[in-house]
Amino acid sequence: MSEEKEKAGTAELSAQEGRKGDPRDIDFLLDIPLEVTVELGRTRMYIRDLLQLAQGSVLELEKLAGEQMEVLINNKLVARGEVVVVNDKFGVRLTDIVSPSERINKLK
C-alpha cells in the first residue's frame, strides 16, 4: 500500500509541474542574482595613452552627450534609458526595452 501512495504522490507532483502558468514553475529562478550594468560609453586607446593617464585626465567616449545609455544584464543588451538623479544618486529611466526576438537574434 505504501508503494501505491508513493506512486500517487509522484503522479500528483508530475501533474503540478506540468501545469502551464503555475507560478511555482519559475519560483526557483526569482532569487538568482544577475549583474546589471549601465554603459555610459566606450573608447579604445593605446597602452602608451593608458600609461599617461593621471588624476584629472579626460577620456572621450564614442557616445554623444544626451544619447541613451545601454542597460546590460549579464553583458546582454536588454534596454536603453536616460540618466536621472534620484535622492542624490544616479539612476536610469528606461525608455526602450529590447524585444525578446531582438535579444535572441543578437545571440546568433
Side-chain angles (χ1 to χ4, degrees), residues 2-56:
S2 172
E3 188 176 324
E4 288 177 13
K5 285 183 180 178
E6 187 176 275
K7 285 181 182 178
T10 304
E12 184 180 326
L13 182 59
S14 296
Q16 287 177 356
E17 289 174 352
R19 286 186 211 146
K20 296 199 186 256
D22 191 341
R24 291 176 289 181
D25 291 346
I26 62 166
D27 281 350
F28 69 96
L29 295 175
L30 299 178
D31 291 328
I32 295 174
L34 301 172
E35 181 177 321
V36 178
T37 306
V38 178
E39 189 170 284
L40 179 63
R42 293 179 183 221
T43 191
R44 295 183 67 94
M45 63 180 7
Y46 295 105
I47 292 174
R48 77 174 63 76
D49 297 329
L50 174 69
L51 295 173
Q52 293 176 358
L53 291 176
Q55 186 173 348

Side-chain angles (χ1 to χ4, degrees), residues 26-92:
I26 62 166
D27 281 350
F28 69 96
L29 295 175
L30 299 178
D31 291 328
I32 295 174
L34 301 172
E35 181 177 321
V36 178
T37 306
V38 178
E39 189 170 284
L40 179 63
R42 293 179 183 221
T43 191
R44 295 183 67 94
M45 63 180 7
Y46 295 105
I47 292 174
R48 77 174 63 76
D49 297 329
L50 174 69
L51 295 173
Q52 293 176 358
L53 291 176
Q55 186 173 348
S57 296
V58 175
L59 297 176
E60 187 175 333
L61 304 175
E62 296 171 350
K63 285 200 180 240
L64 300 173
E67 197 171 339
Q68 291 187 335
M69 304 293 125
E70 294 182 341
V71 179
L72 307 155
I73 296 183
N74 289 349
N75 294 318
K76 304 293 182 215
L77 178 66
V78 295
R80 292 179 186 84
E82 57 192 21
V83 176
V84 295
V85 177
V86 181
N87 298 328
D88 295 328
K89 293 183 180 180
F90 287 113
V92 177

Side-chain angles (χ1 to χ4, degrees), residues 84-103:
V84 295
V85 177
V86 181
N87 298 328
D88 295 328
K89 293 183 180 180
F90 287 113
V92 177
R93 177 181 297 123
L94 301 181
T95 57
D96 180 39
I97 304 293
V98 176
S99 70
S101 60
E102 190 177 342
R103 283 182 259 164

